[in-house]
Amino acid sequence: MSVFEVYALCYGRRTGYRGEHFLGHDRDSAAPHPTAYYVWLAVSPEHTVLVDAGIRAARAREVDGLEYVEPVRLLAALGVDPGQVGHVVLTHLHYDHCGTVADFPGARFVVQRSELDYWTGPWAKRIERERWLLDEVALDHVRAGPVDLVDGDAEVVPGLSVHLVGGHTAGMQVVRVETAAGPVVLASDASHFHENLDDDRPAPLLHSMTGVYGAFDRVKELAGAGPVVPGHDPEVLARYPPVADRVVRLSAPSGS
């Protein structure tokens, strides 16, 4: 089994509202709430895997107040060329998680079949909110492949596995990575912030309410005593040791 180093790369920052991030808040009266946008890199002697692909530059310009850096620039800070990436695991197909897939010409895309089926089926086209969340340019690139469609849980490469949890989207998956310090679970939008898990409180943007709660339980089970890394929490940058601007190492032993 491969042992990985794992990094969180913060390609975007903006200040939103608590009502965007926690179910039950009135957006108009809620306090400002910072949010961050990440891709994650897992590197072993044998494999280079990117988890999610961020927002395309053209689409980033449509997000009010977004402070944006192209994900490939952050990879370069770690000495990783896009051509080295063998797999791009897409936790789900929202625009801010799959936008730059075209930047990785040698990669295989890993996505849940139920996720791709939803976004290419009839329902997403009928829901206005869903149309905004979709990046059709990126989706077309994923469909053109090469793509590995997963049904449930699967090993992508030794030491790195994907796990279907649902909740946030129809085919939301999380990633479990083996490191020298133990497993790290990349929750992505199964839990946007540490607070979602800590307070057992979903975000308002969801596909299934019961699925969100089930996802909370599943990521904790997968992590055991190891960390669960949320998808949009700026606190990630403060909790883990920095290795470059906007980049922290998630595979560091506790207390390092």
Side-chain angles (χ1 to χ4, degrees), residues 116-188:
L116 187 62
D117 285 350
Y118 176 77
W119 291 105
T120 56
W123 305 119
K125 296 179 176 64
R126 294 175 63 178
I127 304 171
E128 183 176 355
R129 180 196 67 183
E130 301 286 64
R131 291 197 298 272
W132 160 247
L133 291 169
L134 179 63
D135 184 333
E136 292 190 7
V137 173
L139 178 61
D140 286 346
H141 196 87
V142 171
R143 294 176 71 184
V147 58
D148 294 328
L149 296 178
V150 179
D151 295 299
D153 298 352
E155 182 180 72
V156 177
V157 297
L160 188 148
S161 55
V162 294
H163 303 269
L164 175 64
V165 296
H168 179 61
T169 66
M172 178 78 213
Q173 63 182 349
V174 301
V175 182
R176 188 178 191 268
V177 190
E178 294 293 341
T179 80
V184 171
V185 173
L186 304 176
S188 183

Side-chain angles (χ1 to χ4, degrees), residues 25-249:
H25 283 272
D26 181 345
R27 172 173 176 160
D28 292 335
S29 61
H33 193 261
T35 185
Y37 296 75
Y38 296 95
V39 299
W40 300 271
L41 179 70
V43 180
S44 75
E46 301 84 13
H47 301 286
T48 301
V49 180
L50 187 69
V51 177
D52 286 344
I55 305 177
R56 282 189 298 120
R59 186 70 185 269
R61 290 191 286 271
E62 300 175 8
V63 181
D64 289 344
L66 181 65
E67 178 191 336
Y68 174 77
V69 175
E70 291 179 329
V72 291
R73 290 180 54 191
L74 298 179
L75 289 172
L78 294 176
V80 175
D81 183 271
Q84 295 174 244
V85 176
H87 293 82
V88 176
V89 176
L90 299 171
T91 62
H92 59 301
L93 294 176
H94 283 171
Y95 75 99
D96 56 331
H97 292 263
C98 67
T100 73
V101 286
D103 289 344
F104 304 96
R108 299 191 65 85
F109 308 125
V110 182
V111 63
Q112 290 286 331
R113 188 185 306 273
S114 54
E115 182 76 359
L116 187 62
D117 285 350
Y118 176 77
W119 291 105
T120 56
W123 305 119
K125 296 179 176 64
R126 294 175 63 178
I127 304 171
E128 183 176 355
R129 180 196 67 183
E130 301 286 64
R131 291 197 298 272
W132 160 247
L133 291 169
L134 179 63
D135 184 333
E136 292 190 7
V137 173
L139 178 61
D140 286 346
H141 196 87
V142 171
R143 294 176 71 184
V147 58
D148 294 328
L149 296 178
V150 179
D151 295 299
D153 298 352
E155 182 180 72
V156 177
V157 297
L160 188 148
S161 55
V162 294
H163 303 269
L164 175 64
V165 296
H168 179 61
T169 66
M172 178 78 213
Q173 63 182 349
V174 301
V175 182
R176 188 178 191 268
V177 190
E178 294 293 341
T179 80
V184 171
V185 173
L186 304 176
S188 183
D189 288 6
S191 179
H192 293 68
F193 297 85
H194 291 100
E195 187 177 343
N196 294 116
L197 273 182
D198 293 346
D199 292 353
D200 201 35
R201 185 173 196 173
L205 185 61
L206 49 84
H207 182 77
S208 163
M209 178 74 79
T210 55
V212 169
Y213 285 117
F216 287 172
D217 295 343
R218 181 65 170 140
V219 296
K220 291 176 182 178
E221 177 188 19
L222 288 166
V228 175
V229 183
H232 288 277
D233 199 330
E235 181 68 18
V236 168
L237 296 177
R239 290 194 182 193
Y240 296 92
V243 296
D245 184 38
R246 296 173 173 255
V247 180
V248 295
R249 179 174 172 241

